[in-house]
Amino acid sequence: MKRIRQKNLRCRAAAMVLLAFTLFLAGCGKETSGSEETLAESTAESMEQTASTEQTVTAEPTVSADTEESDTPDPSEDTPGRFQYNEKLFALGLPVVTEEQAKADGKTVLTLQASLVNPWLKDSIAGFNRQSADYFVRLEETYEDGVKDRVAAEIVAGRGPDILTGSVLEISESVLKKEVLVDLAPGLDAMGITDEEYFPGVRALPMGDKVYGIRTYLTPHGYWIRESVLGGRELPDIATLVEKLYTYPDQEAVWRTNARSVRILEYLLCGSEDLWGMIDWEKGTCDFSGELFAKMLEIAKRYADPERRTEETEDKWMVSFYSPVSNTPRRQLEKEGKVIINYPFDNGYYPAYESISEVLMMNANSEHQEGVWAFFEYVLGEEGQCYAAGNSYLAVNREMSKSCMEYYLRGLEEGWFKTTAEFTPETIEELYAFTEQARPLPLRTKEVLEIIYEESETFWAGDKPLEEVCDVIQKRVQIYISENM
């Protein structure tokens, strides 16, 4: 048993750095783009980043006497009033409640539908089912083609699962306006989910004062850009950034290896609520005839590298992923002539939450909303947050994140956790600040962006000239705005 538990802890320790900090680096998920090809590319980028870091992390855990005393958590060891990371929750041998047992006990069965299910969700469901006297959550893993269309149709028709994730439902502002999801803001306030105790990113899918989803862990993404591109270290406005990219003299430069044109254009557009003034939401008009948009399309075409021709020549990359805790910390990047730029939003540059694949939502059709709230309270509570942190992410609860980071810092001191990443109290504090600054990408423009990406492909492929593509985008977006005002 000791060898099994040591192996389990070793894997978890390695996973902590491999996933937690490489996922901060990689633009994974990308459901917000509405492009399945973009999702596939982004997932590949995440795997590529993880693979490149894999050999830099080793963990040789020494199981303490305290850890070996029991395979199950001891609530009496918890510090009152504080969320504590508890490795014992991941011990082998914890009981698993089956649906048959739950029904025999008279529990109400809730359904949770998701695809690409992460271990934290399975752990959390199992943990909730162990401790709930009234409810049982059944996980329905769905992977077939067209699942998002099917789930959307079910929900609009008054059916669907009680709980769902962004991996099985395409989210846009127009979907939220249909009120098929429950506004969670009042309930989160009632539960005491405050910004003092939780990172703001816990509230997902905001629209006005309403919130339609929750995150249990956080993976904001950032970027660095070469100082030679900007001509200095000052972050420019969007027009200046586009001009700098457009006039960059290195004809062999690429965005980064494996980057496709749609990813580059997405970066330039996705943070703006009105696409840098190209849409006037109040008047219901749009204008894609200007130089700014045309140069964006040209930039996206010029710097793409889908064939990975620069895979071995990183000096040709103009940008790449950034996290405060990585093999190349901020101070080293700055010595190399790189600037932390993150994402351009209307009021500045910030890290971004790109993926909504594991955001949890409540179906407004659910007949068991009290049970859903019980599950949400669990995943945002101490035990659920321990699972979120322990499965290689930064938990949304501040104290749980701090406790988990202290656990691994202690592992560095004691020698059972080793990494070449810049994993120090200082970089961890920077990671907290990075997470504090992160914000979701706007939902209002999502369907407009899908139109833009679709039509832009014809220009990048050489099928249509730039002017014709811009004209088609102008007409299609105007029709969309007129029909949805």
Side-chain angles (χ1 to χ4, degrees):
M1 172 65 76
K2 179 177 179 180
R3 285 197 303 271
I4 293 174
R5 296 187 62 215
Q6 285 178 326
K7 180 179 179 182
N8 187 41
L9 185 56
R10 184 182 298 112
C11 292
R12 297 185 55 71
M16 179 67 190
V17 169
L18 282 178
L19 291 179
F21 308 127
T22 56
L23 285 176
F24 277 113
L25 294 174
C28 62
K30 300 302 297 175
E31 282 78 7
T32 51
S33 73
S35 167
E36 293 183 0
E37 292 183 356
T38 302
L39 170 60
E41 174 197 326
S42 201
T43 303
E45 288 175 354
S46 178
M47 294 174 64
E48 172 190 329
Q49 287 294 113
T50 302
S52 68
T53 312
E54 188 168 2
Q55 300 303 317
T56 68
V57 182
T58 58
E60 300 173 357
T62 301
V63 182
S64 68
D66 290 340
T67 304
E68 293 179 9
E69 287 177 0
S70 173
D71 283 341
T72 57
D74 183 359
S76 65
E77 296 180 0
D78 292 345
T79 302
R82 184 176 179 219
F83 279 46
Q84 290 287 301
Y85 182 69
N86 185 356
E87 179 64 28
K88 295 178 183 180
L89 273 180
F90 302 93
L92 299 176
L94 291 177
V96 175
V97 178
T98 67
E99 186 170 344
E100 290 74 18
Q101 291 172 326
K103 288 180 177 178
D105 293 338
K107 296 183 180 181
T108 300
V109 176
L110 311 174
T111 56
L112 190 160
Q113 195 161 10
S115 65
L116 302 174
V117 178
N118 195 288
W120 78 266
L121 185 56
K122 292 184 177 181
D123 287 341
S124 296
I125 290 173
F128 174 78
N129 290 340
R130 277 193 293 271
Q131 59 84 47
S132 177
D134 302 308
Y135 300 101
F136 177 91
V137 173
R138 177 204 300 142
L139 174 62
E140 296 181 351
E141 298 186 54
T142 310
Y143 298 101
E144 74 269 17
D145 293 338
V147 60
K148 290 187 177 182
D149 291 336
R150 178 175 61 77
V151 172
E154 289 176 353
I155 290 177
V156 171
R159 303 189 303 274
D162 300 287
I163 310 165
L164 59 157
T165 72
S167 65
V168 295
L169 181 65
E170 196 72 46
I171 298 297
S172 64
E173 189 175 89
S174 63
V175 170
L176 299 183
K177 285 181 178 179
K178 294 177 180 177
E179 299 185 346
V180 295
L181 301 174
V182 172
D183 172 20
L184 305 179
L188 292 174
D189 291 342
M191 285 167 54
I193 307 302
T194 65
D195 286 347
E196 288 72 32
E197 296 183 4
Y198 290 78
F199 289 107
V202 65
R203 290 173 170 81
L205 309 181
M207 190 174 72
D209 295 332
K210 299 181 178 181
V211 173
Y212 291 97
I214 60 169
R215 293 184 181 89
T216 64
Y217 68 88
L218 302 168
T219 55
H221 307 136
Y223 278 96
W224 57 254
I225 189 170
R226 293 193 183 279
E227 185 176 347
S228 59
V229 176
L230 301 181
R233 303 198 63 81
E234 183 178 351
L235 298 183
D237 58 33
I238 188 64
T240 304
L241 174 62
V242 168
E243 188 63 26
K244 295 287 187 181
L245 292 168
Y246 187 73
T247 58
Y248 191 54
D250 188 347
Q251 297 299 307
E252 297 181 357
V254 299
W255 192 251
R256 70 175 303 275
T257 192
N258 198 37
R260 293 174 57 246
S261 295
V262 67
R263 286 283 282 161
I264 302 171
L265 183 62
E266 182 180 46
Y267 172 84
L268 295 172
L269 290 176
C270 67
S272 175
E273 293 279 358
D274 62 3
L275 304 187
W276 310 112
M278 295 177 218
I279 298 177
D280 188 323
W281 293 109
E282 292 185 4
K283 294 180 180 179
T285 60
C286 62
D287 184 2
F288 292 93
S289 64
E291 283 190 5
L292 180 66
F293 183 62
K295 287 180 178 179
M296 287 181 175
L297 294 182
E298 294 275 16
I299 288 167
K301 183 176 183 178
R302 173 182 171 185
Y303 297 121
D305 184 25
E307 301 87 6
R308 295 175 177 264
R309 65 181 186 275
T310 62
E311 189 167 14
E312 304 299 328
T313 53
E314 187 178 344
D315 61 314
K316 294 300 180 182
W317 303 0
M318 303 170 72
V319 306
S320 194
F321 307 114
Y322 167 73
S323 169
V325 180
S326 68
N327 286 11
T328 310
R330 176 188 290 269
R331 62 177 180 272
Q332 181 61 35
L333 290 174
E334 291 175 349
K335 288 180 181 178
E336 295 173 359
K338 298 166 183 174
V339 180
I340 308 306
I341 191 170
N342 297 320
Y343 284 76
F345 285 81
D346 288 316
N347 62 344
Y349 290 84
Y350 300 92
Y353 293 111
E354 291 184 311
S355 175
I356 60 170
S357 63
E358 292 186 352
V359 167
L360 296 171
M361 298 165 279
M362 186 191 305
N363 188 348
N365 303 315
S366 173
E367 297 178 355
H368 311 296
Q369 293 190 14
E370 287 136 358
V372 177
W373 276 115
F375 179 69
F376 285 176
E377 187 171 10
Y378 173 83
V379 298
L380 295 177
E382 183 172 14
E383 192 168 289
Q385 282 296 279
C386 190
Y387 283 127
N391 276 288
S392 314
Y393 303 104
L394 198 64
V396 291
N397 180 272
R398 298 175 187 274
E399 284 296 323
M400 182 57 73
S401 288
K402 180 179 179 182
S403 176
C404 187
M405 292 300 176
E406 289 173 349
Y407 172 80
Y408 281 98
L409 284 172
R410 187 167 64 252
L412 280 176
E413 295 175 359
E414 295 172 358
W416 55 261
F417 175 59
K418 298 178 182 179
T419 176
T420 58
E422 191 75 3
F423 192 64
T424 67
E426 292 74 24
T427 58
I428 289 172
E429 285 300 319
E430 188 176 347
L431 175 63
Y432 294 153
F434 183 81
T435 303
E436 195 82 43
Q437 297 162 7
R439 54 184 58 191
L441 298 175
L443 287 173
R444 192 174 196 182
T445 58
K446 182 178 179 183
E447 288 163 311
V448 170
L449 289 174
E450 289 172 353
I451 294 171
I452 292 172
Y453 301 150
E454 178 184 344
E455 296 298 337
S456 296
E457 289 286 357
T458 61
F459 167 64
W460 297 324
D463 298 331
K464 292 182 181 179
L466 179 62
E467 296 77 8
E468 182 179 344
V469 170
C470 291
D471 185 56
V472 172
I473 290 173
Q474 171 73 30
K475 292 175 181 176
R476 285 192 61 188
V477 173
Q478 185 60 65
I479 291 172
Y480 170 83
I481 294 174
S482 299
E483 291 178 347
N484 289 273
M485 288 297 290

